[in-house]
Amino acid sequence: MQIRDLPYSDPGDPDVRSGPRFLFWLGRNQLGGQLKSLSWGLLHQLGIAGLPVTVGLAVQAVIDRSGGRLALAGGLIVALGVLIAVGDTMLHRTAVTNWITAAARVQQLLARKTAELGSALTRRVAAGEVVAVSTGDVEKIGWFVEALSRFAAAATALVVICVGLAIYLPSLGLMVALAMPVLALAVLPLLPRATRRADEQREKAGKATELASDTVAGLRVLRGIGGEELFLGRYRRASQEVRRAAVRSARMWALISAVQVLLPGILLISLVWYGATLARDGRIDVGQLVTVYSAATLMLFPLRHFEEIAMAYSFSRPSAQRAVRVLSLHRSAQEATVEGVTPTGDLYDPATGLMAPRGQFTAVVCGDPDEAGRLADRLGGHAETGEEDEKAAAAAPSVLLGGVALDEVPLDTARAAVLVQDKDPVLLSGTLRELLDVPSSDLVTADAALEAAQCGDVLSALAQASADNYGDPMRTRITERGRSLSGGQRQRLALARSLVTDPEALVLDEPTSAVDSHTEARVAAGIAKLRQGRTTVAFASSPLLLDAADRVVLVHEGTVVAVGNHRDLLRTEPRYRAVVTRETDDEAAAANGVGDIPAMKSIVEIEERA
């Protein structure tokens, strides 16, 4: 795989049983690139290893006053220099290619999982952790994959050099050969503590990132209540904890680096002292001493790769574990078994008894907003299957669309059939035209969707927002998550985007909670008109939206308890009235007793507003 061939047509099915298994799977899929990098690394390392021999020949040739051998040594040095340059260049190219392609594979896997889980992802994994996995963790995993082949080449070169020195000059070569394993493995006892400190640093950094993300997302609210300093103080404390953890981690890695410098230094001093003694006694030539000393010195370079691979693995293992935590999530406990079927018809949830007839606008009232959000996710086939509720989710019956279980159809088919817009939809950065350029049936135009969502004032504001759009609001850029817009403007643009898709069934969770009552009434009428003949489900408790629905369903404690139109349920169903009118306990008791007149008066007022 070359960088120009990215992205992968299929990133594969990863082994998510553990972090190390995931790293092994990733390395196995990079086997071709690893072998290329290993080959060029061996050429580079062995070219370096050949220099001491040629330098020793040159020194001895000068001592012996042999011009021919000196010229030969010079030619060999030039040839080795060329091999080292070519090997180093190609090693860098192939190693970086391994890094980038491995990181791209992980990012594609994460993107695929994000698309599969949708909005359920951030409810099951903290937003800060998702950000850490998709940015810093991907880089660390790629680093380990890249360092692996260079380490293998360095280790092979060390073995070759030690064997060669032992054969070339046993008196000094054996000393070097016996010392090298000690130098390479000396840092192993320090790695567990260094790894724990690095894990602690990453954990605190993830919490700080999550706190920063939450603070930025709620900045408008924080300014409204004067809470900026409070959250800024919290972030300062979190960042200081990250700094202290980073310093503690750096101390361990500094100690490891110091060991990697101290022990080779002791080896070189011992080698020079013993070798000089042998040369003085005439037991070895000066050229041989120079050769062994030069080889031992150059061996410190590949020895550094042992430290790097230890650091890379220590950093990448927890990163891989976090990636595995995300990649091991599933949208449902069942596998797709129905292929080539696009379901149509009534939308029915057997767990609650909720029925949304085909072609009708159904409003659903839940006293618990969290219950409404979970039910909306179920209707879209996005029921959560976290570890704590996996058995319950597996036992719950699937939502049916036209009698076909959504859990049994492929994900893309289910998404095309039922679209769920949650109560806090996200607007991606880009122009308004790009925002509305989504897969659709092409039966609903962007203008019609914007009109139904009552986005006239939003378009006017966007037309004046920038001089670069030439007065065309469709060319105005929407900032990240639509932060430059008000909550009501974001909500209506998100609604327009959902209306443009024109799915078989559209599920809206509180689509008008951030707009005023006048706009809400027009939005409700716009939805009813544009979606006429299409299945629409809206979770809401606003009388203005409920009155525009063809039918209203009351869900209480996870079960449908009443079905009718808004006005009838308001008169006949106390639990419905309590949710819609926000009655207190005293008012509810009065509505069922002698206080009927005030209760009926409030009902009349609500109906007049509707």
Side-chain angles (χ1 to χ4, degrees):
M1 170 63 72
Q2 299 295 323
I3 296 177
R4 63 175 176 268
D5 298 325
L6 295 175
Y8 290 95
S9 57
D10 180 10
D13 186 17
D15 187 343
V16 295
R17 289 175 291 178
S18 66
R21 286 178 181 270
F22 177 71
L23 290 175
F24 176 75
W25 174 86
L26 198 61
R28 188 179 61 198
N29 280 271
Q30 302 277 133
L31 187 58
Q34 294 288 351
L35 291 177
K36 288 182 181 179
S37 185
L38 175 61
S39 300
W40 290 114
L42 284 175
L43 179 64
H44 175 238
Q45 296 285 354
L46 295 179
I48 294 176
L51 286 176
V53 177
T54 56
V55 170
L57 288 176
V59 171
Q60 193 62 42
V62 171
I63 294 175
D64 296 341
R65 298 182 180 277
S66 173
R69 281 188 293 160
L70 180 62
L72 175 63
L76 291 176
I77 291 176
V78 172
L80 288 174
V82 173
L83 292 179
I84 292 171
V86 173
D88 191 22
T89 301
M90 297 306 299
L91 171 63
H92 179 75
R93 286 174 58 91
T94 53
V96 171
T97 298
N98 288 337
W99 185 336
I100 294 176
T101 52
R105 186 186 296 274
V106 177
Q107 286 179 327
Q108 281 189 247
L109 290 171
L110 291 171
R112 185 175 68 183
K113 183 59 63 174
T114 301
E116 176 186 336
L117 295 175
S119 61
L121 174 61
T122 52
R123 289 196 294 271
R124 295 160 66 180
V125 180
E129 185 169 348
V130 175
V131 173
V133 170
S134 58
T135 53
D137 286 337
V138 167
E139 182 178 353
K140 293 179 177 66
I141 292 171
W143 176 30
F144 174 74
V145 173
E146 180 261 346
L148 189 60
S149 56
R150 290 191 289 108
F151 164 73
T156 304
L158 281 177
V159 172
V160 172
I161 294 173
C162 288
V163 172
L165 287 178
I167 297 174
Y168 174 71
L169 191 63
S171 55
L172 292 179
L174 289 175
M175 178 180 176
V176 175
L178 293 175
M180 278 302 152
V182 177
L183 299 183
L185 303 177
V187 298
L188 289 183
L190 301 176
L191 287 180
R193 181 176 296 181
T195 301
R196 286 195 299 271
R197 292 189 179 185
D199 290 346
E200 179 184 355
Q201 175 196 350
R202 281 188 291 273
E203 181 182 357
K204 292 183 180 298
K207 291 181 179 178
T209 302
E210 182 179 354
L211 178 60
S213 177
D214 293 342
T215 302
V216 172
L219 189 58
R220 185 185 295 270
V221 177
L222 292 177
R223 287 174 176 171
I225 63 176
E228 302 103 309
E229 289 300 324
L230 173 63
F231 277 83
L232 184 58
R234 291 181 181 177
Y235 183 74
R236 283 197 184 104
R237 289 192 293 272
S239 63
Q240 288 302 311
E241 290 181 3
V242 174
R243 180 188 63 81
R244 286 191 289 269
V247 170
R248 294 181 70 247
S249 178
R251 286 173 179 167
M252 284 304 305
W253 290 112
L255 178 59
I256 291 175
S257 297
V259 171
Q260 292 281 34
V261 172
L262 177 63
L263 294 183
I266 294 175
L267 172 63
L268 291 178
I269 293 174
S270 303
L271 186 65
V272 170
W273 177 82
Y274 182 57
T277 301
L278 294 178
R280 184 190 60 191
D281 296 341
R283 297 165 61 183
I284 62 173
D285 296 332
V286 174
Q288 291 177 317
L289 174 60
V290 171
T291 298
V292 175
Y293 175 76
S294 300
T297 303
L298 291 177
M299 286 172 70
L300 301 184
F301 174 70
L303 196 62
R304 282 288 182 180
H305 290 287
F306 284 79
E307 176 188 355
E308 182 189 13
I309 196 64
M311 291 182 64
Y313 180 74
S314 298
F315 279 92
S316 64
R317 183 185 55 79
S319 295
Q321 193 61 46
R322 279 197 293 269
V324 162
R325 183 183 174 190
V326 176
L327 295 175
S328 61
L329 298 174
H330 299 284
R331 78 176 179 110
S332 71
Q334 302 181 17
E335 298 292 335
T337 57
V338 180
E339 301 286 347
V341 175
T342 302
T344 60
D346 298 339
L347 185 63
Y348 176 64
D349 178 24
T352 60
L354 174 61
M355 168 69 77
R358 181 182 185 184
Q360 293 191 22
F361 183 7
T362 302
V364 181
V365 176
C366 292
D368 182 0
D370 293 333
E371 180 184 2
R374 289 191 296 268
L375 182 53
D377 285 338
R378 272 189 53 78
L379 292 179
H382 310 315
E384 296 185 20
T385 57
E387 293 181 0
E388 69 282 355
D389 62 350
E390 186 172 355
K391 293 182 180 179
S398 172
V399 170
L400 307 177
L401 180 62
V404 178
L406 289 180
D407 284 349
E408 297 178 1
V409 300
L411 177 60
D412 54 352
T413 303
R415 289 275 173 84
V418 183
L419 174 65
V420 179
Q421 176 182 300
D422 61 23
K423 64 183 63 179
D424 186 24
V426 176
L427 300 183
L428 302 179
S429 59
T431 65
L432 180 57
R433 180 174 286 107
E434 292 171 343
L435 176 69
L436 300 177
D437 185 16
V438 293
S440 65
S441 65
D442 295 327
L443 299 178
V444 178
T445 64
D447 292 339
L450 290 168
E451 181 180 357
Q454 301 300 310
C455 295
D457 62 319
V458 184
L459 296 177
S460 299
L462 291 177
Q464 302 173 10
S466 173
D468 298 333
N469 59 12
Y470 302 98
D472 182 4
M474 301 299 289
R475 300 175 62 176
T476 303
R477 293 194 64 82
I478 306 296
T479 57
E480 181 188 4
R481 299 179 68 91
R483 300 190 193 282
S484 60
L485 304 172
S486 68
Q489 290 173 330
R490 288 197 301 269
Q491 192 173 57
R492 282 178 284 161
L493 287 179
L495 175 61
R497 179 180 59 187
S498 298
L499 293 174
V500 165
T501 61
D502 190 35
E504 173 68 22
L506 176 61
V507 180
L508 306 170
D509 189 4
E510 296 288 353
T512 58
S513 60
V515 300
D516 59 82
S517 58
H518 180 65
T519 304
E520 183 179 26
R522 291 188 295 160
V523 170
I527 294 174
K529 179 180 178 182
L530 188 66
R531 293 286 300 173
Q532 189 172 7
R534 307 288 271 174
T535 305
T536 306
V537 180
F539 288 81
S541 58
S542 168
L544 295 170
L545 192 146
L546 297 173
D547 195 50
D550 298 322
R551 64 200 301 268
V552 179
V553 178
L554 174 64
V555 177
H556 180 67
E557 296 182 353
T559 305
V560 173
V561 295
V563 179
N565 61 54
H566 167 61
R567 297 172 187 264
D568 289 343
L569 291 176
L570 200 60
R571 289 190 179 91
T572 61
E573 179 53 60
R575 290 170 294 189
Y576 179 83
R577 183 167 60 246
V579 175
V580 174
T581 64
R582 279 74 167 178
E583 284 182 341
T584 63
D585 293 339
D586 293 339
E587 290 171 340
N592 293 318
V594 294
D596 287 346
I597 293 177
M600 290 304 296
K601 183 178 179 180
S602 66
I603 293 173
V604 171
E605 292 175 352
I606 290 173
E607 291 182 348
E608 289 176 351
R609 289 199 301 269

